[in-house]
């Protein structure tokens, strides 16, 4: 099934399943515009599929048996789920990994200001964005505010059609002669990404519009200005993911990177039937877009700690045994690939590019400047993956991230490879990656799901 156009081979029955899966995925995107919202959905999906909360079991003396299903919500921003296998955990787990944070603008801690009768919320961008793409389009805010007493207020404004939206304004072309001569990187400065949020003054003499904005915030969310100090509010494109193209073959959505791998990973595990040979795992992580750092990034030990807890409940914990569990595991580190774009053909090597509609994409390595920073999967492991894909009729392709020296990038693969486990990057090709609205092919989303199911079922020593 290597490098074929998946669409040409689908039967009407398969097309029906594909459409149903892609509708589920669009719902996941609409309800999951932040890592926290994705975790909440993952918990719901897992509980419906019979997974129990590990945190309720840890320290209770509970023992896990083969076939038992548990999940862990880590700080509300990462999600892990496991199905205990028949074989000892030392034989390694089959792990699916993906990230659920996406490029965006974050509201600053002291964001509210007024300038010439307009009131704004100041932002600090998160991840690799082209800043000019965020101007003059409807934006929503999603997040949490935690009050001093610990009360958590969820904020979503701009998604309901009856809601107001926000916008960062751009300069009219008539007055843009100097702006247009700047490089795209300097077209708008990071500090100028201010969300226009109010324009109608109150009666107050000093900063009357700022006051209006704060009064509205209080009325809508019950929040004081100083509560924003302990908030995590993200600015994202407002509106739903849409079917794209007259043939409805694609999906235009915010945050395909990397929910387009996270959702099929989650579903593949939740939809697994029966008792697996090896212990199965899906991990949805945070902070990939800023280097996987922090207590919710893959660089943190949260994953290792959680596997330790699982080992203690399913068998018996020892440091050596944990090392063996991790070292002998197999992983698909899923993240989006750069889809070949005819409009920008010059940055791709056509023979080693990912094409929309040709299925899930494996990247033996990523990196930049001579594979720098990449986790280069072993040929032996790649061969075993090829076999699994072919045995299960999964359409797949292989690619590099653009032409040699055109740029590059990294994923979470190298962080899991530290344990000595076999890891390969794989994922779904995306057009306009990191733009407010990204494009994927429904066929590739469906093939990713098939790929993850096949890997969970058939990967092994
Ligand atoms: Mn990514
Ligand atoms: Mn990314």
């Amino acid at each position: 099934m290597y490098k074929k156009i998946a669409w040409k081979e689908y039967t009407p029955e398969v097309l029906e399943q594909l459409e149903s899966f892609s509708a589920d995925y669009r719902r996941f995107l609409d309800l999951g515009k932040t890592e926290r919202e994705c975790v909440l959905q993952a918990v719901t999906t897992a509980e419906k599929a019979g997974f129990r909360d590990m945190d309720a079991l840890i320290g209770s003396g509970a023992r896990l048996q083969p076939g038992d299903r548990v999940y862990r919500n880590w700080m509300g921003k990462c999600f892990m789920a496991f199905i205990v296998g028949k074989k000892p955990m030392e034989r390694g787990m089959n792990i699916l990994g993906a990230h659920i944070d996406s490029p965006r603008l974050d509201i600053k801690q002291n964001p509210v200001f007024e300038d010439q009768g307009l009131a704004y919320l100041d932002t600090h961008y998160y991840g690799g964005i082209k800043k000019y793409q965020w101007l003059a389009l409807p934006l929503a805010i999603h997040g949490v505010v935690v009050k001093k007493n610990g009360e958590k207020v969820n904020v979503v404004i701009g998604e309901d059609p009856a809601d107001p939206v926000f916008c960062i304004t751009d300069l009219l072309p008539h007055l843009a002669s100097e702006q247009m001569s700047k490089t795209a990187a300097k077209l708008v400065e990071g500090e100028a990404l201010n969300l226009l949020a109010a324009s109608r003054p109150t009666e107050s003499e000093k900063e009357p519009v700022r006051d209006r904005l704060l009064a509205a915030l209080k009325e809508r969310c019950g929040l004081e200005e100083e509560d924003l100090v302990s908030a995590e509010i993200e600015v994202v494109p407002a509106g739903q993911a849409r079917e794209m193209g007259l043939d409805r073959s694609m999906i235009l959505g915010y945050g395909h990177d990397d929910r387009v791998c996270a959702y099929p990973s989650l579903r593949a595990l939740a939809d697994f039937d029966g008792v697996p040979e090896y212990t199965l795992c899906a991990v949805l992580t945070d902070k990939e877009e800023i280097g996987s750092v922090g207590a919710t990034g893959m660089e943190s030990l949260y994953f290792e700690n959680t596997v330790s807890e699982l080992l203690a409940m399913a068998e018996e914990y020892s440091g050596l045994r944990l090392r063996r569990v991790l070292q002998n595991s197999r992983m698909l580190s899923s993240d989006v690939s750069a889809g070949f774009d005819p409009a920008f053909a010059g940055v791709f090597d056509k023979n080693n590019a990912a094409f929309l509609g040709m299925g899930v994409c494996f990247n033996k390595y990523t990196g930049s400047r001579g594979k720098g920073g990449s986790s280069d999967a072993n040929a032996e492991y790649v061969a075993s993956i090829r076999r699994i894909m072919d045995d299960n009729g999964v359409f797949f392709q292989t690619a590099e991230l653009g032409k040699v020296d055109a740029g590059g990038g990294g994923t979470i693969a190298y962080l899991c490879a530290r344990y000595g486990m076999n890891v390969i990057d794989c994922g779904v090709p995306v057009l306009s990656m990191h733009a407010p609205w990204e494009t994927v092919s429904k066929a590739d989303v469906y093939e990713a799901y098939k790929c993850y199911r096949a890997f969970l079922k058939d990967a092994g020593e």
Side-chain angles (χ1 to χ4, degrees):
M1 308 297 264
Y2 183 60
K3 282 238 171 185
K4 278 191 188 151
I5 297 165
W7 290 112
K8 289 190 175 178
E9 318 280 328
Y10 289 149
T11 60
E13 294 74 40
V14 173
L15 283 170
E16 206 172 299
Q17 290 165 20
L18 174 151
E19 289 296 347
S20 143
F21 190 82
S22 79
D24 290 348
Y25 171 54
R26 278 189 286 127
R27 254 191 307 280
F28 182 83
L29 283 182
D30 293 341
L31 298 174
K33 287 197 173 180
T34 68
E35 58 280 19
R36 286 178 188 264
E37 291 171 353
C38 288
V39 167
L40 289 176
Q41 292 192 81
V43 167
T44 308
T45 301
E47 287 187 343
K48 268 193 203 146
F51 289 75
R52 288 178 292 159
D53 186 352
M54 261 177 97
D55 283 309
L57 303 175
I58 289 171
S60 72
R63 305 294 304 163
L64 298 179
Q65 306 301 325
D68 279 353
R69 301 165 158 236
V70 289
Y71 75 84
R72 194 170 202 197
N73 169 348
W74 182 249
M75 292 184 166
K77 299 180 188 180
C78 301
F79 175 87
M80 291 157 279
F82 303 85
I83 305 177
V84 179
K86 290 178 201 159
K87 293 187 198 289
M89 283 181 66
E90 281 180 53
R91 305 281 291 276
M93 304 185 287
N94 295 347
I95 306 172
L96 301 172
H99 70 92
I100 46 176
D101 61 316
S102 296
R104 61 183 190 246
L105 312 176
D106 285 341
I107 300 279
K108 287 187 184 182
Q109 283 186 286
N110 297 300
V112 191
F113 72 95
E114 173 171 345
D115 194 356
Q116 304 299 317
L118 298 173
Y120 295 89
L121 294 170
D122 199 354
T123 71
H124 194 142
Y125 69 98
Y126 173 98
I129 62 165
K130 290 177 165 177
K131 299 179 197 89
Y132 66 84
Q133 292 178 334
W134 290 74
L135 309 181
L137 55 119
L139 297 168
I141 62 176
H142 290 235
V144 298
V145 183
V146 185
K147 293 187 181 178
K148 244 191 324 193
N149 63 7
E151 185 199 338
K152 201 177 276 185
V153 180
N154 282 303
V155 177
V156 180
I157 305 174
E159 298 296 348
D160 189 308
D163 263 357
V165 293
F166 305 87
C167 192
I168 299 169
T169 53
D170 198 358
L171 183 58
L172 61 167
H174 317 65
L175 298 179
S177 57
E178 192 199 326
Q179 184 201 36
M180 296 300 276
S181 69
K182 291 181 181 175
T183 61
K186 293 278 175 189
L187 209 62
V188 55
E189 303 281 346
E191 199 53 73
L193 294 173
N194 301 321
L195 206 58
L196 182 53
S199 70
R200 179 178 154 200
T202 54
E203 295 303 315
S204 37
E205 293 199 348
K206 215 181 133 217
E207 305 194 298
V209 186
R210 186 180 188 281
D211 285 354
R212 172 79 66 189
L213 175 55
L214 290 171
L217 186 70
K218 179 147 194 181
E219 194 188 317
R220 166 97 188 209
C221 309
L223 297 169
E224 305 290 342
E225 181 179 9
E226 63 184 32
D227 290 329
L228 296 175
V229 167
S230 45
E232 288 176 358
I233 301 180
E234 305 177 8
V235 180
V236 298
Q240 299 188 324
R242 305 287 298 267
E243 292 183 290
M244 189 176 139
L246 265 181
D247 62 357
R248 298 176 185 266
S249 61
M250 297 168 280
I251 301 170
L252 182 74
Y254 164 68
H256 285 312
D257 181 3
D258 184 32
R259 292 152 194 162
V260 75
C261 299
Y263 180 70
S265 294
L266 170 71
R267 277 286 302 271
L269 187 71
D271 295 349
F272 187 90
D273 236 349
V275 185
E277 292 296 314
Y278 297 92
T279 295
L280 308 181
C281 166
V283 49
L284 310 184
T285 191
D286 180 29
K287 295 288 182 283
E288 193 277 342
E289 295 295 357
I290 57 167
S292 297
V293 290
T296 56
M298 208 61 207
E299 207 171 85
S300 141
L301 294 184
Y302 78 82
F303 179 66
E304 184 180 319
N305 293 347
T306 301
V307 174
S308 304
E309 298 286 1
L310 184 77
L311 186 58
M313 286 194 277
E315 297 173 15
E316 197 179 333
Y317 174 82
S318 87
L320 180 60
R321 195 173 294 195
L322 172 70
R323 296 291 132 212
R324 289 175 180 158
V325 172
L326 293 166
Q327 163 197 296
N328 295 332
S329 287
R330 303 147 290 272
M331 181 176 191
L332 294 184
S333 160
S334 290
D335 208 340
V336 291
S337 275
F340 181 87
D341 189 337
F344 303 101
V347 298
F348 295 93
D349 163 20
K350 272 192 187 141
N351 291 329
N352 291 282
F355 291 84
L356 257 65
M358 291 190 126
V360 64
C361 174
F362 289 93
N363 298 73
K364 186 174 181 299
Y365 46 84
T366 56
S368 52
R369 293 175 300 280
K371 300 190 178 182
S374 134
S375 164
D376 199 344
N378 292 331
E380 290 85 347
Y381 185 51
V382 181
S384 72
I385 296 290
R386 276 175 63 198
R387 179 180 52 73
I388 295 169
M389 295 304 116
D390 282 341
D391 287 353
N392 289 277
V394 178
F395 292 93
F396 74 99
Q397 49 187 328
T398 59
E400 301 199 1
L401 184 51
K403 256 186 183 165
V404 175
D405 286 342
T411 64
I412 59 169
Y414 76 100
L415 292 165
C416 303
R418 283 180 311 174
Y419 297 110
M421 69 173 76
N422 270 311
V423 186
I424 187 166
D425 280 301
C426 84
V428 172
V430 174
L431 302 181
S432 316
M433 192 195 294
H434 283 208
W437 298 101
E438 303 171 313
T439 297
V440 296
S441 162
K442 286 180 181 176
D444 301 331
V445 181
Y446 186 63
E447 293 304 319
Y449 172 62
K450 276 169 60 189
C451 160
Y452 301 151
R453 292 196 71 159
F455 174 83
L456 290 179
K457 178 168 70 73
D458 287 353
E461 296 141 286

